[in-house]
Amino acid sequence: SGSEYINTDIVTLTRFLTEEQARHKEATGDFTLLCHALQFAFKQIAYYIRRATLINLTGLAGSVNETGDDQKKLDVISNDLFIAAMRSSGRVRLLVSEEEEEAIIFDHPDARYAVVCDPIDGSSNLDAGVSVGTIFGIYKLSDAATGTKEDMLKPGTELVASGFTMYGASAMLVITMKGGNVNGFTLDNALGEFILTHPNMRIPKSRAIYSVNEGNSCYWEEPVKKWVESLKDPEANGGKPYSARYIGSMVADAYRTLLYGGIFAYPADKKSPKGKLRILYECAPMAQVFENAGGQAVDSNMRRMIDVVPEHIHDRSGIFLGSYDEVQKVIDIHKKHAA
Ligand code: P6P
């Protein structure tokens, strides 16, 4: 009979979260409810992205966000959906979004969680059909929390959970808990369920793929130039150079790197001395995912990315993210250069 081919052990995200909660005797269920609100927001955003081209949502909304980027209608809708889902969960006290200049303080003073997010990262690629996604992180507020944006200036080591979604043909969700492993879920659009398809994701220790915008190379610091040159030198790599893969959407470049191995980099440079990607809702959540998958993540000073504490909620950083050995090559070249 065909029954041996039917996977009867389907784990939905809902079941996964329930089992996760059962592992923590002291759990009140607040974190679980927060994660259900997150998955609801991801399903709604996935719906709008899928229909965007059909109902022509990909035009400009005519409004501009605080970073001066042209806001696409989907940016605005996704940000609004995400804020509404977090507010209505009743479990979030503070929310930082790339689309909001100020931290959003919900009228839930007793809520114990804070959320950081980039609702639609890579949105400049939307019209081109390139995969975009949501990057998120969850912090548990300390008893000393004041309910102000100062509560958000934390290192990635304090993230209780982080991850990202990628809205492609089917939406993918990659999520990790502090000190836990990395799990990938695929949204079954028919059932509206996230299904565990990539349990315990581990990034290959090395892979000859590098992902960086070489259009910025004239602005790069010397060690970065030396690093990329070394990857292109066949002699230095067993006879053939690395492959270059750059999509220009962080979640897409990150997801490929997590699956295949390699390294993604957005170095700080002379044009962007602080780097381009944001610490709170791009670099730190991605860094925790990659570390929990066995990789590494450092900033442009070769500091462990999740140790970095932002001074302001929209602070940027350089980042090198990927296979353990590939990031180590960058660190070693910087050490040699410093010597
Ligand atoms: P560049 C997209 O705008 C984004 O924020 C990330 O998703 C992406 O990795 C990066 O910027 C691309 O930047 O300068 O290479 O276009």
Side-chain angles (χ1 to χ4, degrees):
S1 75
S3 64
E4 66 274 17
Y5 302 113
I6 296 169
N7 177 354
T8 52
D9 184 20
I10 299 283
V11 177
T12 62
L13 178 58
T14 301
R15 173 179 156 191
F16 179 88
L17 291 169
T18 307
E19 290 170 348
E20 178 70 19
Q21 178 182 326
R23 276 192 279 275
H24 297 83
K25 296 304 166 224
E26 75 290 349
T28 62
D30 285 355
F31 179 76
T32 302
L33 282 172
L34 168 49
C35 288
H36 285 321
L38 273 176
Q39 76 166 315
F40 180 71
F42 298 147
K43 291 176 186 178
Q44 284 189 301
I45 295 171
Y47 168 80
Y48 280 107
I49 297 255
R50 268 202 315 281
R51 290 183 54 76
T53 43
L54 297 178
I55 47 181
N56 191 27
L57 264 179
T58 53
L60 291 183
S63 59
V64 172
N65 68 3
E66 44 80 33
T67 53
D69 300 333
D70 280 338
Q71 270 194 312
K72 304 262 182 193
K73 285 176 186 169
L74 276 168
D75 265 344
V76 176
I77 289 180
S78 303
N79 188 49
D80 292 349
L81 288 179
F82 200 90
I83 293 168
M86 293 298 99
R87 173 185 291 112
S88 66
S89 76
R91 293 330 189 255
V92 181
R93 188 173 181 189
L94 279 161
L95 170 66
V96 165
S97 165
E98 180 180 47
E99 303 294 335
E100 301 285 336
E101 168 64 15
E102 292 302 324
I104 298 177
I105 299 160
F106 293 127
D107 188 17
H108 298 297
D110 301 332
R112 299 177 300 129
Y113 290 97
V115 174
V116 293
C117 81
D118 183 354
I120 293 279
D121 183 79
S123 58
S124 52
N125 299 288
L126 265 176
D127 296 358
V130 169
S131 287
V132 298
T134 305
I135 308 173
F136 66 92
I138 303 173
Y139 287 99
K140 189 166 189 180
L141 293 170
S142 71
D143 296 338
T146 57
T148 62
K149 63 181 168 185
E150 279 62 37
D151 293 336
M152 310 302 289
L153 304 177
K154 300 280 185 233
T157 45
E158 293 189 24
L159 282 163
V160 293
S162 60
F164 61 96
T165 55
M166 189 173 72
Y167 305 108
S170 57
M172 283 300 300
L173 164 64
V174 173
I175 185 166
T176 192
M177 315 293 180
K178 182 175 182 178
N181 56 32
V182 177
N183 290 293
F185 296 83
T186 304
L187 181 60
D188 179 323
N189 295 323
L191 301 177
E193 287 279 12
F194 278 105
I195 308 291
L196 180 63
T197 49
H198 298 70
N200 190 16
M201 296 179 82
R202 302 297 292 169
I203 183 170
K205 201 160 179 302
S206 64
R207 183 70 190 273
I209 300 173
Y210 73 105
S211 184
V212 66
N213 184 343
E214 298 209 48
N216 294 326
S217 56
C218 63
Y219 305 115
W220 289 346
E221 302 300 333
E222 203 48 40
V224 177
K225 289 181 179 173
K226 287 265 184 300
W227 165 60
V228 172
E229 279 157 23
S230 77
L231 302 186
K232 295 176 172 178
D233 174 5
E235 303 312 311
N237 301 293
K240 64 179 186 154
Y242 275 45
S243 290
R245 292 284 185 275
Y246 193 71
I247 301 169
S249 170
M250 189 183 195
V251 293
D253 282 316
Y255 186 66
R256 183 206 54 250
T257 306
L258 189 58
L259 272 185
Y260 297 163
I263 182 167
F264 169 83
Y266 207 108
D269 59 27
K270 296 181 179 64
K271 178 177 77 168
S272 317
K274 288 257 184 190
K276 173 182 184 182
L277 301 177
R278 314 288 188 153
I279 296 172
L280 266 185
Y281 41 79
E282 288 175 311
C283 297
M286 283 292 185
Q288 178 170 254
V289 167
F290 274 70
E291 283 208 5
N292 287 357
Q296 283 198 83
V298 295
D299 70 1
S300 277
N301 299 314
M302 301 300 111
R303 280 180 306 178
R304 190 181 178 211
M305 192 71 240
I306 58 175
D307 284 340
V308 174
V309 182
E311 290 167 16
H312 304 291
I313 57 175
H314 294 298
D315 274 3
R316 302 166 189 263
S317 170
I319 185 166
F320 297 84
L321 179 75
S323 294
Y324 192 91
D325 291 356
E326 303 304 336
V327 177
Q328 196 57 45
K329 281 188 178 180
V330 180
I331 295 168
D332 294 345
I333 286 182
H334 278 73
K335 277 183 185 156
K336 201 187 304 176
H337 185 80

